[in-house]
Structures are given as C-alpha cells and as structure tokens.
Amino acid sequence: DFAFSVLQSYMEQMKDGVIPNFISEGGGTAYNTADASLWFIVQAYRLFDSLSAANRKRLFHAACEIVLNYRYNNSLPFFCRNDMLIELRPVNGMALTWMDAVVNGQPVTPRNGAPIESTALWYNALEMTEQMMEKRELRHLKGGEYSVTAKQLYKMIETLNSSLQKFFVNGAWADRLEGDNPVLEVRPNF
C-alpha cells in the first residue's frame, strides 16, 4: 500500500519521536518541527484498520515513540508541560509549527509558548494512540526508554482536555499561551 510506504519511510528517519519536516533530494533532513510527528499519528490512525497486523504493529510502535518522547524527552526543542500542553522553546532561527518561514535567521511568525494548533494536534494524537492501543488490546505504551500505562495515558488526555480551557477567553480562542497568559493574535489556525 502506497500510503503505508510513505509513513514507513518517515518511520525509518524518525529521531527521538520526531519525523523530518524536510527531506532533500540528496537525502538531507530537517527536524525543526513540533507538529509533523503529530500529523503522522493522525495519518497512521486513518490507515490503521486497513493494514495487516504486522503493519498495524509498526505504526502503533511509531505512535508510541512519538507520544512518549513528546511527553518525557527534555532534549527536544519543545516540551510537554505539567498541564500537558506542548510548549515550544524559544530556539533562535527555528520555526517549529506549520508556519515555519524563516527570513534572515528569524521566524516570520514567532510561535513561542504553547500554540493552539500544536495543542489540538497533541490532543488528537493522544486520543488516537489510545484508540489504537485499545484495538491492539494493550494496557501500556512503550517506546525507547519511556513507557506509560493505559491509565496514565487516559490521565494525560483528561489533564490536557482540562488545560485546553486556558485558550478560551471571552468567547474567543487564543492563538497561543505564554505561560498561562493567552495571546489573542489572529492567525489562520482554524
């Protein structure tokens, strides 16, 4: 299946749960992204039921690696806060969301803090990974040196669901949070 082969090529280049957001014809890669791996989980979930058991296992393992690195790996240019929001570290010259244009070494659209679209993708990735785990009748996620139980994953989702309310202010959705402070800038995020 062509769709699976595309995902597999990204799985082969995954580093610490992050897939490249750029692959050159010469084979060079760039990993300056917080959302590409989350989109990978969305696509893996869409294909999951149509695949062989072996390929479902491969996709699920990749989803586990992504979720667990996002949750626990502190060496990434983003991190998962205690409230389960994904926060982008201010890294000079890097734009980590889909708004990734950089001019003269600086992001055109600064996205420091917790962008709403990354948070929404993170929520979907957790929910979809939990559903894939249930379909495989597993009780825990393992990926590299990290692991969580089904109960811990459910708690992560529950905490994130509650934290999403921080973005909703006076009837409008904030673009991102800096700390717990909503930034009410208009972006084409929705």
Side-chain angles (χ1 to χ4, degrees):
D1 176 57
F2 177 73
F4 177 77
S5 70
V6 171
L7 292 179
Q8 184 171 344
S9 69
Y10 280 101
M11 286 188 290
E12 292 167 357
Q13 297 193 52
M14 187 184 310
K15 292 181 182 176
D16 295 327
V18 180
I19 65 169
N21 63 316
F22 177 80
I23 303 172
S24 72
E25 288 183 25
T29 54
Y31 292 85
N32 57 332
T33 177
D35 50 14
S37 296
L38 303 175
W39 279 114
F40 175 95
I41 292 176
V42 170
Q43 295 309 315
Y45 178 77
R46 287 181 178 168
L47 283 178
F48 196 76
D49 290 335
S50 68
L51 298 172
S52 69
N55 287 343
R56 282 195 305 270
K57 183 177 181 180
R58 287 184 189 105
L59 285 182
F60 180 71
H61 178 42
C64 291
E65 187 175 338
I66 292 165
V67 165
L68 293 169
N69 272 282
Y70 273 54
R71 177 62 184 106
Y72 297 111
N73 187 340
N74 291 318
S75 69
L76 300 174
F78 51 86
F79 63 97
C80 185
R81 301 171 9 168
N82 289 336
D83 60 5
M84 296 306 301
L85 300 176
I86 296 295
E87 183 162 330
L88 310 182
R89 300 178 199 278
V91 180
N92 194 26
M94 289 184 79
L96 298 171
T97 70
W98 64 277
M99 291 186 266
D100 61 358
V102 176
V103 175
N104 296 324
Q106 293 301 315
V108 173
T109 309
R111 305 296 290 143
N112 297 338
I116 192 167
E117 72 275 14
S118 297
T119 300
L121 279 168
W122 174 233
Y123 180 83
N124 285 337
L126 291 175
E127 283 280 354
M128 291 172 178
T129 301
E130 180 186 44
Q131 290 177 31
M132 288 186 285
M133 182 177 65
E134 288 175 1
K135 289 177 181 184
R136 295 199 65 229
E137 299 178 356
L138 299 173
R139 297 186 183 271
H140 65 279
L141 301 179
K142 288 180 112 176
E145 62 188 270
Y146 310 112
S147 66
V148 295
T149 65
K151 186 175 182 179
Q152 289 169 317
L153 180 60
Y154 178 77
K155 181 66 175 161
M156 289 167 58
I157 294 167
E158 188 177 69
T159 300
L160 179 56
N161 187 40
S162 177
S163 297
L164 283 167
Q165 300 311 308
K166 295 176 184 181
F167 287 94
F168 197 69
V169 180
N170 298 326
W173 290 100
D175 174 61
R176 59 194 163 99
L177 299 177
E178 289 181 347
D180 282 339
N181 300 314
V183 177
L184 298 171
E185 296 173 333
V186 177
R187 303 261 189 258
N189 298 348
F190 295 100

